Coordinates of all heavy atoms in Angstrom, one line a residue:
M1 N 8.8 -18.0 2.1 CA 9.2 -17.2 3.2 C 8.0 -16.4 3.7 O 7.3 -15.8 2.9 CB 10.3 -16.2 2.9 CG 10.6 -15.3 4.0 SD 11.9 -14.0 3.8 CE 12.7 -14.2 2.3
P2 N 7.6 -16.5 5.0 CA 6.5 -15.8 5.5 C 6.7 -14.3 5.5 O 7.8 -13.8 5.6 CB 6.3 -16.3 6.9 CG 7.6 -17.0 7.2 CD 8.3 -17.3 6.0
Y3 N 5.6 -13.5 5.4 CA 5.7 -12.1 5.5 C 6.3 -11.7 6.8 O 6.1 -12.3 7.8 CB 4.3 -11.5 5.5 CG 3.5 -11.7 4.2 CD1 2.3 -12.5 4.2 CD2 3.9 -11.2 3.0 CE1 1.6 -12.7 3.1 CE2 3.2 -11.5 1.8 CZ 2.0 -12.2 1.9 OH 1.3 -12.4 0.8
T4 N 7.0 -10.6 6.8 CA 7.6 -10.1 8.0 C 7.3 -8.6 8.1 O 7.7 -7.8 7.2 CB 9.2 -10.2 8.0 OG1 9.5 -11.6 7.8 CG2 9.8 -9.8 9.3
E5 N 6.6 -8.2 9.1 CA 6.3 -6.8 9.3 C 7.5 -6.1 9.9 O 8.4 -6.7 10.4 CB 5.1 -6.6 10.3 CG 3.8 -7.2 9.9 CD 2.7 -7.1 10.9 OE1 2.2 -5.9 11.0 OE2 2.4 -8.1 11.6
F6 N 7.5 -4.7 9.7 CA 8.6 -3.9 10.3 C 8.5 -4.0 11.8 O 7.4 -3.9 12.3 CB 8.5 -2.5 9.8 CG 8.7 -2.3 8.3 CD1 7.8 -1.4 7.7 CD2 9.7 -2.9 7.6 CE1 7.9 -1.2 6.3 CE2 9.8 -2.7 6.3 CZ 8.9 -1.9 5.6
D7 N 9.6 -4.1 12.5 CA 9.5 -3.9 13.9 C 9.5 -2.4 14.3 O 9.6 -1.6 13.4 CB 10.7 -4.6 14.6 CG 12.0 -4.1 14.3 OD1 12.1 -2.9 13.9 OD2 13.0 -4.8 14.4
D8 N 9.3 -2.1 15.5 CA 9.1 -0.7 15.9 C 10.3 0.2 15.5 O 10.2 1.3 15.0 CB 8.8 -0.5 17.4 CG 7.4 -1.0 17.8 OD1 6.5 -1.0 16.9 OD2 7.2 -1.3 18.9
L9 N 11.5 -0.4 15.7 CA 12.7 0.4 15.4 C 12.8 0.7 13.9 O 13.1 1.8 13.5 CB 14.0 -0.4 15.9 CG 15.3 0.3 15.6 CD1 15.4 1.7 16.2 CD2 16.4 -0.6 16.0
A10 N 12.6 -0.4 13.1 CA 12.7 -0.2 11.6 C 11.6 0.8 11.2 O 11.9 1.6 10.3 CB 12.5 -1.5 10.9
A11 N 10.4 0.6 11.7 CA 9.3 1.5 11.3 C 9.6 2.9 11.6 O 9.3 3.8 10.8 CB 8.0 1.0 11.9
T12 N 10.2 3.2 12.7 CA 10.5 4.6 13.1 C 11.6 5.1 12.2 O 11.5 6.3 11.8 CB 11.0 4.6 14.6 OG1 9.9 4.1 15.4 CG2 11.3 6.0 15.0
K13 N 12.6 4.3 11.9 CA 13.7 4.8 11.1 C 13.3 5.1 9.6 O 13.7 6.0 9.0 CB 14.9 3.8 11.1 CG 15.7 3.8 12.3 CD 16.9 2.9 12.1 CE 17.9 3.2 13.3 NZ 19.2 3.0 13.0
I14 N 12.4 4.2 9.1 CA 12.0 4.4 7.7 C 11.1 5.6 7.6 O 11.2 6.3 6.6 CB 11.2 3.1 7.2 CG1 12.2 1.9 7.1 CG2 10.6 3.3 5.9 CD1 11.6 0.6 6.9
G15 N 10.2 5.8 8.5 CA 9.2 6.9 8.4 C 8.2 6.7 7.3 O 7.8 5.5 7.1
W16 N 7.9 7.7 6.6 CA 7.0 7.6 5.4 C 7.8 6.9 4.3 O 9.0 7.1 4.1 CB 6.5 9.0 5.0 CG 5.5 9.5 5.9 CD1 5.7 10.4 6.9 CD2 4.1 9.3 5.9 NE1 4.6 10.7 7.5 CE2 3.5 10.1 6.9 CE3 3.3 8.5 5.1 CZ2 2.2 10.1 7.2 CZ3 1.9 8.5 5.3 CH2 1.4 9.3 6.4
Y17 N 7.0 6.1 3.5 CA 7.6 5.4 2.3 C 6.6 5.2 1.2 O 5.4 5.2 1.5 CB 8.3 4.1 2.8 CG 7.3 3.1 3.4 CD1 6.6 2.2 2.7 CD2 7.1 3.2 4.8 CE1 5.8 1.3 3.3 CE2 6.2 2.3 5.4 CZ 5.6 1.3 4.7 OH 4.7 0.4 5.3
V18 N 7.1 5.0 0.0 CA 6.3 4.6 -1.1 C 6.7 3.2 -1.4 O 7.8 2.8 -1.4 CB 6.6 5.5 -2.4 CG1 5.9 5.0 -3.6 CG2 6.3 7.0 -2.1
Y19 N 5.6 2.4 -1.5 CA 5.9 0.9 -1.6 C 5.1 0.4 -2.8 O 4.2 1.0 -3.3 CB 5.4 0.2 -0.4 CG 4.0 0.4 0.0 CD1 3.0 -0.6 -0.4 CD2 3.5 1.5 0.6 CE1 1.7 -0.4 -0.1 CE2 2.2 1.7 0.9 CZ 1.3 0.8 0.6 OH 0.0 0.9 0.8
A20 N 5.5 -0.8 -3.3 CA 4.8 -1.5 -4.3 C 4.5 -2.9 -3.9 O 5.2 -3.5 -3.1 CB 5.7 -1.5 -5.6
L21 N 3.4 -3.4 -4.4 CA 3.0 -4.8 -4.2 C 3.1 -5.5 -5.6 O 2.6 -5.0 -6.6 CB 1.6 -4.9 -3.7 CG 1.3 -4.3 -2.3 CD1 -0.1 -4.4 -1.9 CD2 2.3 -4.8 -1.3
R22 N 3.8 -6.6 -5.7 CA 4.1 -7.3 -6.9 C 3.5 -8.7 -6.9 O 3.7 -9.4 -5.9 CB 5.6 -7.2 -7.2 CG 5.9 -7.8 -8.6 CD 7.3 -7.6 -9.0 NE 8.3 -8.0 -7.9 CZ 9.5 -7.6 -7.9 NH1 10.0 -6.8 -8.8 NH2 10.3 -7.9 -6.9
D23 N 3.0 -9.1 -8.0 CA 2.5 -10.5 -8.2 C 3.7 -11.4 -8.5 O 4.4 -11.2 -9.6 CB 1.5 -10.5 -9.4 CG 0.8 -11.8 -9.5 OD1 1.4 -12.9 -9.2 OD2 -0.3 -11.8 -10.1
P24 N 4.0 -12.4 -7.7 CA 5.2 -13.2 -8.0 C 5.0 -14.2 -9.2 O 6.0 -14.7 -9.7 CB 5.3 -14.0 -6.7 CG 3.9 -14.1 -6.1 CD 3.3 -12.8 -6.5
R25 N 3.8 -14.3 -9.6 CA 3.5 -15.2 -10.8 C 4.0 -14.6 -12.1 O 4.3 -15.4 -13.0 CB 2.0 -15.5 -10.8 CG 1.5 -16.2 -9.6 CD 0.0 -16.3 -9.5 NE -0.6 -15.0 -9.5 CZ -1.9 -14.8 -9.5 NH1 -2.7 -15.8 -9.5 NH2 -2.3 -13.5 -9.5
N26 N 4.0 -13.3 -12.2 CA 4.4 -12.7 -13.4 C 5.3 -11.4 -13.2 O 5.6 -10.7 -14.2 CB 3.1 -12.3 -14.3 CG 2.2 -11.3 -13.5 OD1 2.6 -10.7 -12.5 ND2 1.0 -11.2 -14.0
N27 N 5.6 -11.2 -12.0 CA 6.5 -10.0 -11.6 C 5.9 -8.7 -12.0 O 6.6 -7.7 -12.1 CB 7.9 -10.2 -12.3 CG 8.7 -11.3 -11.6 OD1 8.6 -11.5 -10.4 ND2 9.4 -12.0 -12.4
Q28 N 4.6 -8.6 -12.1 CA 4.0 -7.3 -12.4 C 3.5 -6.6 -11.1 O 2.9 -7.2 -10.2 CB 2.8 -7.5 -13.3 CG 3.1 -7.9 -14.7 CD 1.9 -7.9 -15.6 OE1 0.8 -8.0 -15.2 NE2 2.2 -7.7 -16.9
V29 N 3.8 -5.3 -11.0 CA 3.4 -4.5 -9.9 C 1.9 -4.3 -10.1 O 1.5 -3.8 -11.2 CB 4.2 -3.2 -9.8 CG1 3.6 -2.2 -8.8 CG2 5.6 -3.4 -9.5
F30 N 1.1 -4.5 -9.1 CA -0.3 -4.3 -9.2 C -0.8 -3.2 -8.3 O -2.0 -2.8 -8.3 CB -1.1 -5.6 -9.0 CG -1.0 -6.2 -7.6 CD1 -1.9 -5.9 -6.6 CD2 0.0 -7.1 -7.4 CE1 -1.8 -6.4 -5.4 CE2 0.0 -7.7 -6.1 CZ -0.8 -7.4 -5.1
Y31 N 0.0 -2.7 -7.4 CA -0.4 -1.6 -6.5 C 0.8 -0.8 -6.0 O 1.8 -1.4 -5.7 CB -1.1 -2.2 -5.3 CG -1.7 -1.1 -4.4 CD1 -2.9 -0.5 -4.8 CD2 -1.1 -0.8 -3.2 CE1 -3.4 0.5 -3.9 CE2 -1.6 0.2 -2.4 CZ -2.8 0.9 -2.8 OH -3.3 1.9 -2.0
I32 N 0.7 0.5 -6.0 CA 1.7 1.4 -5.4 C 1.0 2.3 -4.4 O -0.1 2.8 -4.7 CB 2.4 2.2 -6.5 CG1 3.2 1.3 -7.5 CG2 3.3 3.3 -5.9 CD1 3.8 2.0 -8.6
G33 N 1.6 2.4 -3.2 CA 1.0 3.2 -2.2 C 2.0 3.9 -1.4 O 3.2 3.8 -1.6
K34 N 1.5 4.8 -0.5 CA 2.3 5.6 0.4 C 1.9 5.3 1.8 O 0.7 5.1 2.1 CB 2.1 7.1 0.1 CG 2.8 8.0 1.1 CD 2.5 9.4 0.8 CE 2.9 10.3 1.9 NZ 2.4 11.7 1.8
G35 N 2.8 5.1 2.7 CA 2.4 4.8 4.1 C 3.5 4.9 5.1 O 4.6 5.3 4.7
K36 N 3.2 4.6 6.3 CA 4.2 4.5 7.3 C 3.9 3.3 8.2 O 2.9 2.7 8.0 CB 4.3 5.8 8.1 CG 3.0 6.2 8.9 CD 3.2 7.5 9.6 CE 2.0 7.9 10.3 NZ 2.1 9.1 11.1
R37 N 4.9 3.0 9.1 CA 4.8 1.8 9.9 C 4.6 0.5 9.0 O 5.4 0.3 8.1 CB 3.7 1.9 11.0 CG 3.9 3.2 11.7 CD 3.7 3.2 13.2 NE 4.1 2.1 14.0 CZ 5.3 2.0 14.6 NH1 6.2 2.9 14.5 NH2 5.5 1.0 15.4
N38 N 3.5 -0.2 9.2 CA 3.3 -1.4 8.4 C 2.1 -1.3 7.4 O 1.3 -2.2 7.3 CB 3.1 -2.6 9.3 CG 4.4 -3.1 9.9 OD1 5.3 -3.5 9.2 ND2 4.6 -2.9 11.2
R39 N 2.0 -0.1 6.8 CA 0.8 0.1 5.9 C 0.8 -1.0 4.8 O -0.3 -1.4 4.4 CB 0.9 1.5 5.3 CG -0.2 1.8 4.3 CD -1.5 1.8 5.0 NE -2.6 1.9 4.0 CZ -3.7 1.3 3.9 NH1 -3.9 0.3 4.8 NH2 -4.6 1.5 3.0
W40 N 1.9 -1.3 4.3 CA 1.9 -2.4 3.2 C 1.3 -3.6 3.7 O 0.5 -4.3 2.9 CB 3.4 -2.6 2.7 CG 4.2 -3.4 3.7 CD1 4.9 -2.8 4.7 CD2 4.3 -4.8 3.8 NE1 5.5 -3.8 5.5 CE2 5.1 -5.0 5.0 CE3 3.8 -5.9 3.2 CZ2 5.5 -6.3 5.4 CZ3 4.1 -7.1 3.6 CH2 5.0 -7.3 4.7
Y41 N 1.5 -4.0 4.9 CA 1.0 -5.3 5.5 C -0.5 -5.2 5.7 O -1.2 -6.2 5.7 CB 1.8 -5.6 6.7 CG 1.5 -7.0 7.2 CD1 2.0 -8.1 6.6 CD2 0.6 -7.3 8.3 CE1 1.7 -9.4 7.0 CE2 0.3 -8.5 8.7 CZ 0.9 -9.6 8.1 OH 0.6 -10.9 8.5
A42 N -1.0 -4.0 6.0 CA -2.4 -3.8 6.2 C -3.3 -4.3 5.0 O -4.4 -4.8 5.2 CB -2.7 -2.3 6.5
H43 N -2.7 -4.2 3.8 CA -3.5 -4.7 2.7 C -3.6 -6.3 2.7 O -4.6 -6.8 2.4 CB -2.8 -4.4 1.4 CG -2.6 -2.9 1.2 ND1 -3.7 -2.0 1.2 CD2 -1.5 -2.1 1.0 CE1 -3.3 -0.8 1.0 NE2 -2.0 -0.8 0.9
I44 N -2.6 -6.9 3.2 CA -2.6 -8.4 3.3 C -3.7 -8.8 4.3 O -4.5 -9.7 4.1 CB -1.2 -8.9 3.8 CG1 -0.1 -8.4 2.9 CG2 -1.2 -10.4 3.9 CD1 -0.1 -8.8 1.5
T45 N -3.6 -8.1 5.5 CA -4.6 -8.4 6.5 C -6.0 -8.1 6.1 O -6.9 -8.9 6.3 CB -4.3 -7.5 7.8 OG1 -3.0 -7.8 8.2 CG2 -5.3 -7.8 8.9
E46 N -6.2 -7.0 5.4 CA -7.5 -6.6 4.9 C -8.0 -7.7 3.9 O -9.2 -8.0 3.9 CB -7.5 -5.2 4.2 CG -8.8 -4.7 3.8 CD -8.7 -3.3 3.2 OE1 -7.6 -2.8 2.9 OE2 -9.7 -2.7 2.9
A47 N -7.2 -8.1 3.0 CA -7.6 -9.2 2.0 C -8.1 -10.4 2.7 O -9.0 -11.1 2.2 CB -6.4 -9.4 1.1
R48 N -7.4 -10.8 3.8 CA -7.8 -12.0 4.5 C -9.1 -11.8 5.3 O -9.8 -12.8 5.5 CB -6.7 -12.4 5.5 CG -5.4 -12.9 4.7 CD -4.3 -13.1 5.7 NE -3.1 -13.5 5.0 CZ -1.9 -13.6 5.6 NH1 -1.7 -13.3 6.9 NH2 -0.9 -14.0 4.9
E49 N -9.3 -10.6 5.9 CA -10.4 -10.4 6.7 C -11.7 -10.0 5.9 O -12.8 -10.4 6.4 CB -10.1 -9.3 7.7 CG -9.1 -9.7 8.7 CD -8.7 -8.6 9.7 OE1 -9.1 -7.4 9.5 OE2 -7.9 -8.8 10.6
K50 N -11.6 -9.3 4.8 CA -12.7 -8.9 4.1 C -12.8 -9.7 2.8 O -12.6 -9.2 1.7 CB -12.6 -7.4 3.8 CG -12.5 -6.5 5.0 CD -12.4 -5.1 4.7 CE -12.4 -4.2 5.9 NZ -12.2 -2.8 5.6
I51 N -13.2 -10.9 3.0 CA -13.2 -11.9 1.8 C -14.1 -11.5 0.7 O -13.8 -11.7 -0.5 CB -13.6 -13.3 2.4 CG1 -12.6 -13.6 3.4 CG2 -13.7 -14.3 1.3 CD1 -12.3 -15.0 3.7
N52 N -15.2 -10.7 1.0 CA -16.1 -10.4 -0.1 C -15.9 -8.9 -0.6 O -16.7 -8.5 -1.4 CB -17.6 -10.5 0.4 CG -17.9 -11.9 0.8 OD1 -17.6 -12.8 0.0 ND2 -18.6 -12.2 1.9
D53 N -14.9 -8.3 -0.2 CA -14.6 -6.9 -0.6 C -14.1 -7.0 -2.1 O -13.2 -7.8 -2.4 CB -13.5 -6.3 0.2 CG -13.3 -4.8 0.0 OD1 -13.3 -4.4 -1.2 OD2 -13.1 -4.1 1.0
P54 N -14.7 -6.3 -3.0 CA -14.4 -6.4 -4.4 C -13.2 -5.6 -4.9 O -12.9 -5.6 -6.1 CB -15.7 -5.9 -5.1 CG -16.2 -4.9 -4.1 CD -15.9 -5.4 -2.8
K55 N -12.5 -4.9 -4.0 CA -11.4 -4.1 -4.5 C -10.4 -5.0 -5.2 O -10.0 -6.1 -4.7 CB -10.7 -3.4 -3.3 CG -11.5 -2.3 -2.6 CD -10.7 -1.7 -1.5 CE -11.5 -0.7 -0.7 NZ -11.6 -1.1 0.7
L56 N -9.9 -4.5 -6.4 CA -9.1 -5.4 -7.2 C -7.8 -5.8 -6.5 O -7.3 -6.9 -6.6 CB -8.7 -4.6 -8.5 CG -9.9 -4.4 -9.4 CD1 -9.5 -3.6 -10.7 CD2 -10.5 -5.8 -9.8
K57 N -7.2 -4.8 -5.7 CA -5.9 -5.2 -5.1 C -6.1 -6.3 -4.1 O -5.3 -7.2 -3.9 CB -5.2 -4.0 -4.4 CG -5.9 -3.5 -3.2 CD -5.2 -2.3 -2.5 CE -6.1 -1.8 -1.4 NZ -5.8 -0.4 -1.1
L58 N -7.3 -6.3 -3.4 CA -7.6 -7.4 -2.4 C -7.8 -8.7 -3.1 O -7.4 -9.7 -2.6 CB -8.7 -6.9 -1.5 CG -8.5 -5.6 -0.7 CD1 -9.7 -5.4 0.2 CD2 -7.2 -5.7 0.1
Q59 N -8.5 -8.6 -4.2 CA -8.8 -9.8 -5.0 C -7.5 -10.4 -5.5 O -7.3 -11.7 -5.4 CB -9.7 -9.5 -6.2 CG -11.1 -9.2 -5.8 CD -11.9 -8.9 -7.1 OE1 -11.5 -8.9 -8.2 NE2 -13.2 -8.5 -6.8
K60 N -6.6 -9.6 -5.9 CA -5.3 -10.1 -6.4 C -4.5 -10.7 -5.3 O -3.9 -11.8 -5.5 CB -4.5 -8.9 -7.0 CG -3.1 -9.2 -7.5 CD -3.2 -10.0 -8.8 CE -3.5 -9.0 -10.0 NZ -3.4 -9.7 -11.3
I61 N -4.5 -10.1 -4.1 CA -3.8 -10.7 -3.0 C -4.4 -12.1 -2.6 O -3.6 -13.0 -2.4 CB -3.8 -9.8 -1.7 CG1 -3.0 -8.5 -2.0 CG2 -3.3 -10.5 -0.5 CD1 -3.2 -7.4 -1.0
R62 N -5.7 -12.2 -2.6 CA -6.3 -13.5 -2.3 C -6.0 -14.5 -3.4 O -5.7 -15.7 -3.0 CB -7.8 -13.3 -2.2 CG -8.3 -12.6 -0.9 CD -9.7 -12.6 -0.7 NE -10.5 -11.8 -1.6 CZ -10.8 -10.5 -1.4 NH1 -10.5 -9.9 -0.3 NH2 -11.5 -9.8 -2.3
E63 N -6.0 -14.1 -4.6 CA -5.6 -15.1 -5.7 C -4.2 -15.6 -5.5 O -4.0 -16.8 -5.6 CB -5.7 -14.4 -7.1 CG -7.0 -14.1 -7.6 CD -6.9 -13.2 -8.9 OE1 -5.9 -13.1 -9.5 OE2 -8.0 -12.7 -9.3
I64 N -3.3 -14.7 -5.2 CA -1.9 -15.1 -5.0 C -1.7 -16.0 -3.9 O -1.1 -17.1 -4.0 CB -1.0 -13.8 -4.8 CG1 -1.0 -13.0 -6.1 CG2 0.4 -14.2 -4.4 CD1 -0.4 -11.6 -6.0
E65 N -2.4 -15.7 -2.7 CA -2.3 -16.6 -1.6 C -3.0 -17.9 -1.7 O -2.6 -18.9 -1.2 CB -2.8 -15.8 -0.3 CG -1.8 -14.7 0.1 CD -2.1 -14.1 1.4 OE1 -3.3 -14.2 1.9 OE2 -1.2 -13.5 2.0
T66 N -4.1 -17.9 -2.5 CA -4.8 -19.2 -2.8 C -3.9 -20.2 -3.5 O -4.0 -21.4 -3.3 CB -6.0 -18.9 -3.6 OG1 -6.9 -18.1 -2.8 CG2 -6.8 -20.2 -4.0
E67 N -2.9 -19.6 -4.3 CA -2.0 -20.5 -5.0 C -0.8 -20.9 -4.2 O 0.2 -21.5 -4.6 CB -1.5 -19.8 -6.3 CG -2.6 -19.7 -7.3 CD -2.1 -19.2 -8.7 OE1 -0.9 -19.4 -9.0 OE2 -2.9 -18.5 -9.4
G68 N -0.8 -20.5 -2.9 CA 0.3 -20.9 -2.0 C 1.5 -19.9 -2.1 O 2.5 -20.3 -1.6
L69 N 1.3 -18.8 -2.7 CA 2.4 -17.8 -2.9 C 2.2 -16.6 -2.0 O 1.1 -16.5 -1.4 CB 2.4 -17.4 -4.4 CG 2.7 -18.5 -5.4 CD1 2.5 -18.0 -6.8 CD2 4.0 -19.1 -5.2
E70 N 3.2 -15.7 -2.0 CA 3.0 -14.5 -1.2 C 3.3 -13.3 -2.1 O 4.1 -13.4 -3.0 CB 4.1 -14.5 -0.1 CG 3.9 -15.5 1.0 CD 4.8 -15.3 2.1 OE1 5.9 -14.7 1.9 OE2 4.5 -15.9 3.2
V71 N 2.5 -12.3 -1.8 CA 2.7 -11.0 -2.5 C 4.1 -10.5 -2.2 O 4.6 -10.6 -1.1 CB 1.7 -10.0 -2.1 CG1 1.9 -8.6 -2.6 CG2 0.3 -10.4 -2.4
E72 N 4.8 -10.0 -3.2 CA 6.1 -9.4 -3.0 C 5.9 -7.9 -2.7 O 5.3 -7.2 -3.5 CB 7.0 -9.6 -4.2 CG 7.3 -11.1 -4.5 CD 8.0 -11.3 -5.8 OE1 8.2 -10.4 -6.6 OE2 8.4 -12.5 -6.0
A73 N 6.4 -7.4 -1.6 CA 6.3 -6.0 -1.2 C 7.7 -5.5 -1.1 O 8.5 -6.1 -0.5 CB 5.5 -5.9 0.1
F74 N 7.8 -4.3 -1.6 CA 9.1 -3.6 -1.5 C 9.0 -2.1 -1.5 O 8.0 -1.6 -2.0 CB 10.1 -4.1 -2.6 CG 9.6 -3.8 -4.0 CD1 9.9 -2.7 -4.7 CD2 8.8 -4.8 -4.6 CE1 9.5 -2.5 -6.0 CE2 8.3 -4.5 -5.9 CZ 8.6 -3.4 -6.6
I75 N 10.0 -1.5 -0.8 CA 10.0 0.0 -0.7 C 10.6 0.6 -1.9 O 11.7 0.2 -2.3 CB 10.7 0.4 0.6 CG1 9.9 -0.1 1.8 CG2 10.9 1.9 0.6 CD1 10.6 0.1 3.1
I76 N 10.0 1.6 -2.5 CA 10.5 2.3 -3.7 C 11.3 3.5 -3.2 O 12.4 3.8 -3.7 CB 9.4 2.7 -4.6 CG1 8.6 1.5 -5.1 CG2 9.9 3.6 -5.7 CD1 7.4 1.9 -5.9
R77 N 10.8 4.2 -2.2 CA 11.4 5.4 -1.6 C 11.0 5.6 -0.2 O 9.9 5.3 0.1 CB 11.0 6.6 -2.5 CG 11.5 7.9 -2.0 CD 12.7 8.3 -2.7 NE 13.1 9.6 -2.3 CZ 14.2 10.2 -2.5 NH1 15.1 9.5 -3.2 NH2 14.5 11.3 -2.1
S78 N 11.9 6.0 0.6 CA 11.6 6.3 2.0 C 12.2 7.6 2.5 O 13.0 8.1 1.8 CB 12.1 5.2 3.0 OG 13.5 5.1 3.0
G79 N 11.6 8.1 3.6 CA 12.1 9.3 4.2 C 11.3 10.5 3.8 O 10.3 10.6 3.3

């Protein structure tokens, strides 16, 4: 299933949130962050655009996508 960003209505209703990024290969959470709007998705975009960036979270996203999989993102807490 392709990634789906929050639309404007959903982003406004959710407000600030704490989110986790999980590796679907082993179900381990590898990053927890705080954001609003589509902050979680910004990491996916950054990993694709900054191929030589050594940040571990970006490397992990690239590894997952190279295997044809998608990072699992979910909200832990909102509001």
